[in-house]
Short mmCIF file of all heavy atoms in Angstrom, two decimals:
data_model
loop_
_atom_site.label_atom_id
_atom_site.label_comp_id
_atom_site.label_asym_id
_atom_site.label_seq_id
_atom_site.Cartn_x
_atom_site.Cartn_y
_atom_site.Cartn_z
N ALA A 1215 -242.22 -176.91 90.03
CA ALA A 1215 -243.04 -176.03 89.20
C ALA A 1215 -243.35 -176.71 87.87
O ALA A 1215 -244.47 -176.61 87.36
CB ALA A 1215 -242.31 -174.70 88.97
N VAL A 1216 -242.36 -177.39 87.29
CA VAL A 1216 -242.61 -178.13 86.04
C VAL A 1216 -243.64 -179.23 86.27
O VAL A 1216 -244.51 -179.48 85.43
CB VAL A 1216 -241.29 -178.73 85.50
CG1 VAL A 1216 -241.56 -179.60 84.29
CG2 VAL A 1216 -240.33 -177.60 85.14
N THR A 1217 -243.58 -179.88 87.44
CA THR A 1217 -244.59 -180.89 87.76
C THR A 1217 -245.98 -180.27 87.82
O THR A 1217 -246.97 -180.88 87.41
CB THR A 1217 -244.25 -181.57 89.10
OG1 THR A 1217 -242.93 -182.13 89.02
CG2 THR A 1217 -245.25 -182.66 89.44
N GLY A 1218 -246.06 -179.04 88.34
CA GLY A 1218 -247.34 -178.33 88.35
C GLY A 1218 -247.85 -178.07 86.95
O GLY A 1218 -249.07 -178.18 86.68
N VAL A 1219 -246.96 -177.77 86.02
CA VAL A 1219 -247.34 -177.58 84.61
C VAL A 1219 -247.89 -178.89 84.04
O VAL A 1219 -248.92 -178.89 83.35
CB VAL A 1219 -246.15 -177.09 83.77
CG1 VAL A 1219 -246.53 -176.96 82.30
CG2 VAL A 1219 -245.63 -175.77 84.31
N ALA A 1220 -247.22 -179.99 84.35
CA ALA A 1220 -247.71 -181.29 83.88
C ALA A 1220 -249.10 -181.59 84.44
O ALA A 1220 -249.95 -182.14 83.72
CB ALA A 1220 -246.71 -182.40 84.31
N ALA A 1221 -249.34 -181.25 85.68
CA ALA A 1221 -250.67 -181.46 86.28
C ALA A 1221 -251.74 -180.66 85.53
O ALA A 1221 -252.86 -181.15 85.31
CB ALA A 1221 -250.65 -181.08 87.76
N CYS A 1222 -251.40 -179.45 85.12
CA CYS A 1222 -252.34 -178.62 84.35
C CYS A 1222 -252.68 -179.30 83.02
O CYS A 1222 -253.86 -179.37 82.64
CB CYS A 1222 -251.76 -177.24 84.11
SG CYS A 1222 -251.66 -176.19 85.56
N HIS A 1223 -251.68 -179.79 82.32
CA HIS A 1223 -251.94 -180.42 81.02
C HIS A 1223 -252.68 -181.74 81.19
O HIS A 1223 -253.48 -182.12 80.33
CB HIS A 1223 -250.61 -180.63 80.27
CG HIS A 1223 -250.05 -179.35 79.71
ND1 HIS A 1223 -250.70 -178.63 78.74
CD2 HIS A 1223 -248.91 -178.65 80.00
CE1 HIS A 1223 -249.98 -177.56 78.44
NE2 HIS A 1223 -248.89 -177.56 79.21
N LEU A 1224 -252.45 -182.45 82.27
CA LEU A 1224 -253.21 -183.67 82.54
C LEU A 1224 -254.68 -183.33 82.73
O LEU A 1224 -255.56 -184.00 82.16
CB LEU A 1224 -252.67 -184.37 83.78
CG LEU A 1224 -253.48 -185.58 84.27
CD1 LEU A 1224 -253.54 -186.68 83.20
CD2 LEU A 1224 -252.87 -186.12 85.58
N LEU A 1225 -254.97 -182.32 83.52
CA LEU A 1225 -256.37 -181.92 83.75
C LEU A 1225 -257.01 -181.45 82.46
O LEU A 1225 -258.17 -181.83 82.17
CB LEU A 1225 -256.41 -180.82 84.80
CG LEU A 1225 -257.81 -180.29 85.18
CD1 LEU A 1225 -258.70 -181.43 85.66
CD2 LEU A 1225 -257.68 -179.20 86.24
N ALA A 1226 -256.29 -180.65 81.66
CA ALA A 1226 -256.84 -180.18 80.39
C ALA A 1226 -257.12 -181.34 79.45
O ALA A 1226 -258.14 -181.37 78.75
CB ALA A 1226 -255.88 -179.19 79.74
N PHE A 1227 -256.22 -182.32 79.42
CA PHE A 1227 -256.42 -183.51 78.57
C PHE A 1227 -257.65 -184.27 78.98
O PHE A 1227 -258.45 -184.71 78.13
CB PHE A 1227 -255.18 -184.40 78.65
CG PHE A 1227 -255.26 -185.67 77.86
CD1 PHE A 1227 -255.15 -185.64 76.47
CD2 PHE A 1227 -255.49 -186.87 78.50
CE1 PHE A 1227 -255.25 -186.82 75.73
CE2 PHE A 1227 -255.58 -188.05 77.76
CZ PHE A 1227 -255.46 -188.02 76.38
N ILE A 1228 -257.85 -184.45 80.27
CA ILE A 1228 -259.03 -185.17 80.77
C ILE A 1228 -260.30 -184.42 80.39
O ILE A 1228 -261.27 -185.01 79.91
CB ILE A 1228 -258.93 -185.36 82.30
CG1 ILE A 1228 -257.79 -186.30 82.64
CG2 ILE A 1228 -260.26 -185.89 82.84
CD1 ILE A 1228 -257.49 -186.40 84.14
N ILE A 1229 -260.30 -183.09 80.59
CA ILE A 1229 -261.50 -182.30 80.27
C ILE A 1229 -261.84 -182.38 78.79
O ILE A 1229 -263.02 -182.53 78.41
CB ILE A 1229 -261.28 -180.84 80.70
CG1 ILE A 1229 -261.16 -180.74 82.23
CG2 ILE A 1229 -262.44 -179.97 80.21
CD1 ILE A 1229 -260.76 -179.36 82.73
N LEU A 1230 -260.83 -182.29 77.92
CA LEU A 1230 -261.07 -182.30 76.49
C LEU A 1230 -261.74 -183.59 76.02
O LEU A 1230 -262.46 -183.59 75.02
CB LEU A 1230 -259.77 -182.08 75.71
CG LEU A 1230 -259.26 -180.64 75.68
CD1 LEU A 1230 -257.88 -180.59 75.06
CD2 LEU A 1230 -260.22 -179.73 74.93
N ASN A 1231 -261.49 -184.67 76.71
CA ASN A 1231 -262.09 -185.94 76.31
C ASN A 1231 -263.60 -185.97 76.55
O ASN A 1231 -264.27 -186.92 76.12
CB ASN A 1231 -261.41 -187.09 77.02
CG ASN A 1231 -260.12 -187.52 76.33
OD1 ASN A 1231 -260.13 -188.32 75.38
ND2 ASN A 1231 -259.00 -186.98 76.80
N PHE A 1232 -264.13 -184.95 77.21
CA PHE A 1232 -265.57 -184.85 77.39
C PHE A 1232 -266.24 -184.10 76.24
O PHE A 1232 -267.46 -183.93 76.24
CB PHE A 1232 -265.89 -184.16 78.73
CG PHE A 1232 -265.67 -185.04 79.91
CD1 PHE A 1232 -264.47 -184.98 80.60
CD2 PHE A 1232 -266.63 -185.96 80.34
CE1 PHE A 1232 -264.23 -185.79 81.71
CE2 PHE A 1232 -266.40 -186.78 81.43
CZ PHE A 1232 -265.21 -186.70 82.12
N LEU A 1233 -265.46 -183.60 75.27
CA LEU A 1233 -266.06 -182.98 74.10
C LEU A 1233 -266.92 -184.00 73.37
O LEU A 1233 -266.53 -185.14 73.18
CB LEU A 1233 -264.99 -182.45 73.15
CG LEU A 1233 -264.38 -181.08 73.46
CD1 LEU A 1233 -263.25 -180.79 72.49
CD2 LEU A 1233 -265.44 -179.99 73.36
N GLY A 1234 -268.08 -183.54 72.91
CA GLY A 1234 -269.03 -184.45 72.24
C GLY A 1234 -268.47 -185.01 70.93
O GLY A 1234 -267.72 -184.35 70.21
N GLN A 1235 -268.85 -186.23 70.64
CA GLN A 1235 -268.36 -186.89 69.44
C GLN A 1235 -268.84 -186.20 68.15
O GLN A 1235 -268.24 -186.37 67.10
CB GLN A 1235 -268.85 -188.35 69.41
CG GLN A 1235 -268.23 -189.21 70.52
CD GLN A 1235 -266.77 -189.50 70.27
OE1 GLN A 1235 -266.32 -189.55 69.13
NE2 GLN A 1235 -266.00 -189.68 71.35
N HIS A 1236 -269.92 -185.41 68.23
CA HIS A 1236 -270.45 -184.82 67.01
C HIS A 1236 -269.45 -183.85 66.36
O HIS A 1236 -269.54 -183.59 65.17
CB HIS A 1236 -271.76 -184.06 67.29
CG HIS A 1236 -271.58 -182.79 68.03
ND1 HIS A 1236 -271.50 -182.72 69.42
CD2 HIS A 1236 -271.43 -181.51 67.61
CE1 HIS A 1236 -271.34 -181.48 69.78
NE2 HIS A 1236 -271.29 -180.72 68.71
N THR A 1237 -268.49 -183.35 67.14
CA THR A 1237 -267.49 -182.46 66.54
C THR A 1237 -266.54 -183.20 65.62
O THR A 1237 -265.78 -182.57 64.90
CB THR A 1237 -266.69 -181.74 67.65
OG1 THR A 1237 -266.15 -182.71 68.55
CG2 THR A 1237 -267.56 -180.77 68.41
N LEU A 1238 -266.59 -184.52 65.64
CA LEU A 1238 -265.79 -185.30 64.68
C LEU A 1238 -266.26 -185.07 63.26
O LEU A 1238 -265.57 -185.39 62.30
CB LEU A 1238 -265.86 -186.78 65.01
CG LEU A 1238 -265.12 -187.24 66.26
CD1 LEU A 1238 -265.47 -188.68 66.59
CD2 LEU A 1238 -263.63 -187.11 66.06
N GLU A 1239 -267.46 -184.51 63.09
CA GLU A 1239 -267.98 -184.24 61.76
C GLU A 1239 -267.28 -183.06 61.10
O GLU A 1239 -267.61 -182.70 59.98
CB GLU A 1239 -269.48 -183.97 61.85
CG GLU A 1239 -270.29 -185.14 62.40
CD GLU A 1239 -271.74 -184.74 62.68
OE1 GLU A 1239 -272.08 -183.58 62.39
OE2 GLU A 1239 -272.48 -185.58 63.17
N ALA A 1240 -266.31 -182.45 61.80
CA ALA A 1240 -265.65 -181.25 61.27
C ALA A 1240 -265.03 -181.49 59.92
O ALA A 1240 -264.99 -180.61 59.08
CB ALA A 1240 -264.57 -180.77 62.24
N ALA A 1241 -264.55 -182.69 59.64
CA ALA A 1241 -263.95 -182.96 58.33
C ALA A 1241 -264.54 -184.26 57.79
O ALA A 1241 -264.10 -185.34 58.10
CB ALA A 1241 -262.45 -183.07 58.45
N GLY A 1242 -265.55 -184.10 56.96
CA GLY A 1242 -266.09 -185.29 56.35
C GLY A 1242 -267.60 -185.31 56.23
O GLY A 1242 -268.15 -186.30 55.79
N ALA A 1243 -268.26 -184.22 56.60
CA ALA A 1243 -269.71 -184.20 56.45
C ALA A 1243 -270.09 -184.16 54.99
O ALA A 1243 -269.32 -183.71 54.13
CB ALA A 1243 -270.26 -182.97 57.18
N ASP A 1244 -271.28 -184.62 54.68
CA ASP A 1244 -271.74 -184.63 53.29
C ASP A 1244 -271.74 -183.21 52.76
O ASP A 1244 -272.25 -182.29 53.38
CB ASP A 1244 -273.16 -185.21 53.20
CG ASP A 1244 -273.18 -186.69 53.53
OD1 ASP A 1244 -272.10 -187.30 53.45
OD2 ASP A 1244 -274.25 -187.22 53.88
N GLY A 1245 -271.19 -183.05 51.58
CA GLY A 1245 -271.14 -181.75 50.96
C GLY A 1245 -270.04 -180.86 51.47
O GLY A 1245 -269.87 -179.74 51.00
N ASP A 1246 -269.30 -181.30 52.41
CA ASP A 1246 -268.20 -180.50 52.97
C ASP A 1246 -266.97 -180.71 52.10
O ASP A 1246 -266.59 -181.84 51.77
CB ASP A 1246 -267.89 -180.98 54.39
CG ASP A 1246 -266.95 -180.03 55.12
OD1 ASP A 1246 -266.13 -179.41 54.45
OD2 ASP A 1246 -267.06 -179.96 56.37
N PRO A 1247 -266.32 -179.59 51.67
CA PRO A 1247 -265.11 -179.75 50.84
C PRO A 1247 -264.03 -180.57 51.50
O PRO A 1247 -263.08 -181.01 50.86
CB PRO A 1247 -264.65 -178.30 50.64
CG PRO A 1247 -265.88 -177.47 50.79
CD PRO A 1247 -266.71 -178.20 51.82
N ALA A 1248 -264.13 -180.80 52.81
CA ALA A 1248 -263.14 -181.63 53.49
C ALA A 1248 -263.10 -183.02 52.95
O ALA A 1248 -262.08 -183.71 53.03
CB ALA A 1248 -263.43 -181.65 54.98
#
Side-chain angles (χ1 to χ4, degrees):
V1216 175
T1217 303
V1219 178
C1222 289
H1223 286 295
L1224 173 61
L1225 180 56
F1227 178 74
I1228 293 172
I1229 294 173
L1230 283 173
N1231 278 276
F1232 286 95
L1233 277 175
Q1235 294 289 330
H1236 73 275
T1237 53
L1238 288 170
E1239 298 170 3
D1244 292 341
D1246 191 330

